[in-house]
Amino acid sequence: MKPINNKNSKVSLFSAVHSRHSVPSYWKVSLCAACILFEARSSFAVGQDVSALYDLSLEELGNIQVTSVSKKEERLSQAAASIYVITNEAIRRAEARNIPEALRLAPTLQVAQISAYRYAISARGFNSNTANKLLVMIDGRTIYNPLFAGVLWESQDILLDDVDRIEVISGPGGTLWGANAVNGVINIITRQTEKTLDNLLRVTEGQQFESISIRHGGKLADSEGNYRVYGKFDQRDNSVRRDRSPEEDAWQRGQIGFRSDWNQGQNAFTLQGDAYQNSIDQSGPGQQENTGANILGRWNSALQDGSNLRIQTYIDHLQTKAPAIYSEKLNTLDIEIEHSLAKEDSEELIWGGGYRVAKDRIGNTSLVAFLPAERQLEWANIYIQQKNQLWKEWLFTLGGKLESNDYTGTEFLPKATLAWQRSQEELLWFRLSRTVRAPSRIDRDLYSPGNAPYIQVGGPEFRSEIAYTSEIGWRAQLGQSFNYSLVAHYSEYDHLRSLDQTSSGQLAVGNGTEAKTSGLEALANFQLTPDLSFDAGAVYFDKQMNIDFEPFLASDDGHFQWQLGTSWRLQENQHLQINLRHVSELPFPKVPAYTSLDMHFNWRLSQKIELSLAGRNLNDPYHEEFAMQSGVVSLNPIQIERELELSLRVHF
């Protein structure tokens, strides 16, 4: 691997592995530890049987409990929404290295890699590296940045081995989750600590990427609680451009974290937190740096009347430095209270409210400025949703949320769903909803260049973007070997962001764009034999706008994509995963269609030791995925390269 230019790097969480030259010593330690564990495996107690993680039948997949659709546990097969669940098993088999790579496993998401660290991720269109119509949460903590109403993916990471599942909803979720859940919701849920009562060491070495992570789990003394702590360090080499020149975007990242869970009678309490620091090379002076920390507490109580009460609060700190571009300090406090009452299996009421305050401070440069440089933003909401049985198998759900923000006041987010539960294996639903994308600082406060006279100015009257969406879906399971779902959707968008020329010749942010989108999403699973299964998905999407091209929208959406995954257990301890993915051409800026083939071979040497060989993009040495960043079109975009990686995972 090529050395990273560490330009004044300050990644200090794992100083022992900060130097590239120290990594081989970790390999030696890891391999020696693996050999010792292999020889003495009978002397260790393992809290998690690796072999038990490998196979879920289609019936078990349908019985997975999900919470993102109605904020209440329900079977996946009975959830009236376009939902795809990425299981821990799927993440392990794909050897995903970060959250965006894990999200690639959801056929309904648009995931494009822009650079070594930057991604464009969206659902149902409007994709860009600043996509702002998708709500993303990690264990209930919203990783939302009010600067642009999206996610800084380079600032978000977790230990993927500890993920229980990722619930991906395509379509509106504003009634329960609030503004910005316009086109989808991603809910990343980590495992209860009682499921990670062992130790884990994982080491990965590849042509462009290497990583080491370690986790320890155990029981809290003199209590009914459990805990785990972890640390990880990743680094990646520079990308290459279309002309094969290197792009200075190599990065390295360190992160530590913990989680603890207590259960006492009808009460459950969770306390967890993370801290991280990363550095990214750039073509300009210095390095980009991201540091942050968060802590979250959650209390769940089963009350005597059969209802449930949940109270959650978290504090999140983020600091970003991009020399010569901008810097940001963001501190967020959030609290949420929720009460749910289930009268019968078919009837339930859920209501709640929340408050969030964020203090955002920008370091302006000669390139861009946010005026004022410092803002304190507040959001408050209250919501209610009622599900009733209309007639036999027919269920009707009606809900609404009132959510206020400092820019546009109070927004109304209603939703109505009619579902026909024909049987335990067949579900038909129809949904209508209204959602909004509330203004962010980039809409109101952005000025360019950073000093007057300004060419581009923020829109002081910028209002919320609005989406009206209708959706019809069908999910069914045929016998024990085949299940599928079909979802058709149509949306009309009003007051989308635009750039309008003022009388003085400046470009001002406005709401002059409208759009209509429609699409079809199809998912299927087929269990051919107990050892061989197939997972397929396809998405068709069409977007019509009242303009041919709007640079400030900075989105680029193709019409079609599909995935086909094959999971094959060759022997009891050997597994082969093959994933084939195709994405159609992106219109502007034009990116050619591509097909990517990934293969992953997992060899379980014992109940505690697993060796994995991953091959990515095997069918083509290079391909492009996205050519726009923040409204700027690249004439020499990043190429995604073919890669080989070897991983060792040891439980002890």
Side-chain angles (χ1 to χ4, degrees), residues 167-360:
E167 300 178 6
V168 178
I169 297 177
S170 298
T175 299
L176 293 179
W177 301 110
N180 299 93
V182 178
N183 287 347
V185 176
I186 296 174
N187 194 2
I188 302 169
I189 302 169
T190 63
R191 292 182 160 190
Q192 294 278 335
T193 51
E194 65 181 5
K195 297 182 180 180
T196 54
L197 296 177
D198 64 343
N199 301 314
L200 171 68
L201 172 68
R202 180 179 177 182
V203 185
T204 300
E205 176 73 24
Q207 294 171 291
Q208 293 136 26
F209 174 83
E210 58 187 23
S211 172
I212 181 169
S213 58
I214 188 166
R215 178 250 288 155
H216 167 70
K219 291 185 174 294
L220 294 168
D222 301 324
S223 74
E224 297 182 15
N226 306 298
Y227 72 94
R228 65 169 173 260
V229 294
Y230 75 90
K232 62 181 308 223
F233 180 85
D234 304 328
Q235 55 189 11
R236 185 177 176 87
D237 291 343
N238 290 325
S239 302
V240 297
R241 292 193 172 273
R242 180 183 291 170
D243 62 4
R244 302 299 181 262
S245 62
E247 168 66 10
E248 290 191 63
D249 61 356
W251 57 264
Q252 46 185 277
R253 175 188 177 93
Q255 179 161 323
I256 57 176
F258 77 96
R259 172 168 173 163
S260 53
D261 296 294
W262 293 269
N263 292 284
Q264 293 184 344
Q266 301 300 311
N267 297 293
F269 182 72
T270 296
L271 182 67
Q272 62 188 85
D274 310 277
Y276 62 87
Q277 187 171 11
N278 64 5
S279 60
I280 305 168
D281 287 354
Q282 62 177 20
S283 55
Q287 283 188 308
Q288 296 184 37
E289 294 183 359
N290 296 307
T291 60
N294 62 80
I295 188 165
L296 176 147
R298 180 171 52 250
W299 174 54
N300 287 276
S301 179
L303 305 180
Q304 293 182 351
D305 61 359
S307 63
N308 288 277
L309 178 66
R310 181 177 68 88
I311 301 176
Q312 174 182 283
T313 185
Y314 64 82
I315 299 173
D316 198 327
H317 168 74
L318 167 68
Q319 184 168 342
T320 300
K321 296 180 181 179
I325 304 175
Y326 84 107
S327 64
E328 179 186 23
K329 289 184 179 180
L330 175 64
N331 293 301
T332 304
L333 169 66
D334 183 280
I335 184 168
E336 180 182 348
I337 301 175
E338 177 184 291
H339 181 238
S340 60
L341 176 63
K343 300 177 182 179
E344 299 177 4
D345 291 340
S346 58
E347 297 185 8
E348 61 188 35
L349 172 69
I350 182 171
W351 68 278
Y355 171 77
R356 179 185 305 158
V357 57
K359 188 173 183 179
D360 190 37

Side-chain angles (χ1 to χ4, degrees), residues 1-260:
M1 296 179 68
K2 303 180 287 296
I4 287 181
N5 178 7
N6 282 320
K7 297 180 185 175
N8 302 318
S9 176
K10 297 180 182 178
V11 176
S12 58
L13 293 175
F14 302 95
S15 58
V17 296
H18 186 76
S19 169
R20 298 280 295 183
H21 302 292
S22 67
V23 174
S25 65
Y26 271 85
W27 267 105
K28 295 176 183 177
V29 172
S30 302
L31 292 175
C32 289
C35 293
I36 294 171
L37 290 167
F38 185 79
E39 293 297 328
R41 60 184 182 271
S42 59
S43 63
F44 291 93
V46 179
Q48 178 183 40
D49 186 347
V50 178
S51 63
L53 299 174
Y54 266 80
D55 296 291
L56 288 175
S57 67
L58 292 187
E59 183 178 3
E60 290 171 324
L61 287 173
N63 287 328
I64 288 177
Q65 299 292 307
V66 297
T67 58
S68 302
V69 176
S70 61
K71 281 198 172 182
K72 179 180 179 295
E73 284 194 351
E74 58 186 330
R75 291 177 56 202
L76 171 61
S77 60
Q78 297 177 348
S82 177
I83 182 170
Y84 186 90
V85 177
I86 304 171
T87 63
N88 175 273
E89 175 191 13
I91 295 172
R92 286 170 54 85
R93 287 179 172 176
E95 289 295 332
R97 299 171 293 190
N98 53 37
I99 294 175
E101 288 191 358
L103 295 179
R104 281 196 192 276
L105 299 174
T108 51
L109 288 178
Q110 290 79 54
V111 180
Q113 186 173 349
I114 304 175
S115 69
Y117 64 94
R118 184 162 289 175
Y119 290 81
I121 302 176
S122 185
R124 297 184 179 177
F126 301 96
N127 198 20
S128 74
N129 70 299
T130 56
N132 55 24
K133 296 175 177 59
L134 183 67
L135 184 70
V136 186
M137 297 171 288
I138 300 177
D139 283 329
R141 176 174 58 90
T142 300
I143 52 177
Y144 162 89
N145 191 310
L147 189 67
F148 64 99
V151 176
L152 282 173
W153 293 104
E154 58 267 33
S155 297
Q156 305 299 331
D157 196 16
I158 50 178
L159 188 62
L160 290 175
D161 287 271
D162 290 341
V163 170
D164 182 75
R165 65 190 185 277
I166 303 177
E167 300 178 6
V168 178
I169 297 177
S170 298
T175 299
L176 293 179
W177 301 110
N180 299 93
V182 178
N183 287 347
V185 176
I186 296 174
N187 194 2
I188 302 169
I189 302 169
T190 63
R191 292 182 160 190
Q192 294 278 335
T193 51
E194 65 181 5
K195 297 182 180 180
T196 54
L197 296 177
D198 64 343
N199 301 314
L200 171 68
L201 172 68
R202 180 179 177 182
V203 185
T204 300
E205 176 73 24
Q207 294 171 291
Q208 293 136 26
F209 174 83
E210 58 187 23
S211 172
I212 181 169
S213 58
I214 188 166
R215 178 250 288 155
H216 167 70
K219 291 185 174 294
L220 294 168
D222 301 324
S223 74
E224 297 182 15
N226 306 298
Y227 72 94
R228 65 169 173 260
V229 294
Y230 75 90
K232 62 181 308 223
F233 180 85
D234 304 328
Q235 55 189 11
R236 185 177 176 87
D237 291 343
N238 290 325
S239 302
V240 297
R241 292 193 172 273
R242 180 183 291 170
D243 62 4
R244 302 299 181 262
S245 62
E247 168 66 10
E248 290 191 63
D249 61 356
W251 57 264
Q252 46 185 277
R253 175 188 177 93
Q255 179 161 323
I256 57 176
F258 77 96
R259 172 168 173 163
S260 53

Side-chain angles (χ1 to χ4, degrees), residues 234-518:
D234 304 328
Q235 55 189 11
R236 185 177 176 87
D237 291 343
N238 290 325
S239 302
V240 297
R241 292 193 172 273
R242 180 183 291 170
D243 62 4
R244 302 299 181 262
S245 62
E247 168 66 10
E248 290 191 63
D249 61 356
W251 57 264
Q252 46 185 277
R253 175 188 177 93
Q255 179 161 323
I256 57 176
F258 77 96
R259 172 168 173 163
S260 53
D261 296 294
W262 293 269
N263 292 284
Q264 293 184 344
Q266 301 300 311
N267 297 293
F269 182 72
T270 296
L271 182 67
Q272 62 188 85
D274 310 277
Y276 62 87
Q277 187 171 11
N278 64 5
S279 60
I280 305 168
D281 287 354
Q282 62 177 20
S283 55
Q287 283 188 308
Q288 296 184 37
E289 294 183 359
N290 296 307
T291 60
N294 62 80
I295 188 165
L296 176 147
R298 180 171 52 250
W299 174 54
N300 287 276
S301 179
L303 305 180
Q304 293 182 351
D305 61 359
S307 63
N308 288 277
L309 178 66
R310 181 177 68 88
I311 301 176
Q312 174 182 283
T313 185
Y314 64 82
I315 299 173
D316 198 327
H317 168 74
L318 167 68
Q319 184 168 342
T320 300
K321 296 180 181 179
I325 304 175
Y326 84 107
S327 64
E328 179 186 23
K329 289 184 179 180
L330 175 64
N331 293 301
T332 304
L333 169 66
D334 183 280
I335 184 168
E336 180 182 348
I337 301 175
E338 177 184 291
H339 181 238
S340 60
L341 176 63
K343 300 177 182 179
E344 299 177 4
D345 291 340
S346 58
E347 297 185 8
E348 61 188 35
L349 172 69
I350 182 171
W351 68 278
Y355 171 77
R356 179 185 305 158
V357 57
K359 188 173 183 179
D360 190 37
R361 186 171 66 192
I362 303 298
N364 295 325
T365 67
S366 59
L367 181 64
V368 296
F370 286 82
L371 303 175
E374 184 173 327
R375 269 195 187 274
Q376 179 168 303
L377 300 171
E378 298 180 41
W379 300 263
N381 70 82
I382 185 170
Y383 61 89
I384 186 169
Q385 179 170 285
Q386 172 79 50
K387 182 169 75 172
N388 290 297
Q389 185 173 8
L390 292 181
W391 178 257
K392 295 184 178 179
E393 301 94 357
W394 290 90
L395 299 173
F396 181 67
T397 303
L398 182 65
K401 169 175 279 191
L402 294 174
E403 181 168 276
S404 66
N405 66 81
D406 289 338
Y407 290 122
T408 62
T410 302
E411 302 284 358
F412 181 47
L413 310 173
K415 179 186 69 174
T417 304
L418 179 64
W420 178 36
Q421 187 74 58
R422 182 181 177 185
S423 67
Q424 292 293 314
E425 291 76 30
E426 296 175 292
L427 177 68
L428 173 71
W429 74 89
F430 178 71
R431 172 176 295 171
L432 296 173
S433 62
R434 178 188 186 270
T435 51
V436 303
R437 199 278 291 178
S440 62
R441 296 203 63 189
I442 202 172
D443 303 309
R444 293 285 190 104
D445 303 339
L446 177 64
Y447 289 76
S448 180
N451 301 297
Y454 303 112
I455 298 175
Q456 178 184 309
V457 298
E461 303 301 323
F462 185 87
R463 57 179 296 183
S464 295
E465 300 177 337
I466 302 176
Y468 301 92
T469 301
S470 58
E471 177 181 288
I472 185 169
W474 172 256
R475 181 183 295 116
Q477 180 168 329
L478 303 179
Q480 300 297 316
S481 61
F482 183 72
N483 63 36
Y484 67 94
S485 67
L486 296 171
V487 179
H489 61 89
Y490 174 79
S491 297
E492 294 187 359
Y493 298 84
D494 292 334
H495 313 304
L496 293 178
R497 187 166 55 191
S498 63
L499 277 181
D500 306 324
Q501 191 167 23
T502 66
S503 58
S504 61
Q506 292 176 317
L507 295 175
V509 180
N511 295 97
T513 304
E514 298 177 352
K516 296 179 180 180
T517 67
S518 58

